């Protein structure tokens, strides 16, 4: 899998960051969800899945061109 940086709301290269893959999916770099109450609300969790939290504003980069990184 190859990643293309789409954009970040971070300062000084810290997360959160959104990437597009060459498999028509996204990879999101964010904060690990560890809150027990939040984790108990998740449904149909498969082995090997993990969960990250990102600001809603980060998803604006998903609408952009895959080859153009915005910082």
């Amino acid at each position: 899998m190859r990643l293309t940086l789409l954009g970040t709301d971070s300062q000084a290269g810290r997360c959160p960051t959104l990437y597009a893959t060459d498999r028509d999916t996204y990879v999101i770099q964010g904060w690990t969800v560890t809150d027990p109450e939040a984790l108990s609300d998740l449904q149909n969790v498969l082995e090997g899945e993990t969960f990250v939290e990102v600001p809603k504003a980060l998803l604006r980069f998903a609408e952009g061109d895959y080859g153009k990184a915005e910082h």
Side-chain angles (χ1 to χ4, degrees):
M1 174 180 9
R2 297 300 309 223
L3 302 180
T4 300
L5 173 67
L6 294 180
T8 182
D9 278 342
S10 67
Q11 297 176 12
R14 301 178 191 256
C15 64
T17 304
L18 182 67
Y19 301 88
T21 74
D22 59 358
R23 302 188 318 188
D24 202 29
T25 60
Y26 295 109
V27 171
I28 299 176
Q29 177 182 342
W31 303 283
T32 303
V33 176
T34 59
D35 180 272
E37 188 173 28
L39 292 172
S40 72
D41 289 335
L42 296 168
Q43 299 178 23
N44 304 317
V45 177
L46 300 176
E47 186 175 331
E49 290 183 329
T50 190
F51 310 94
V52 297
E53 180 180 11
V54 298
K56 286 182 181 180
L58 181 69
L59 297 181
R60 73 183 181 279
F61 295 113
E63 297 176 14
D65 293 335
Y66 279 51
K68 296 181 181 177
E70 297 183 33
H71 303 282

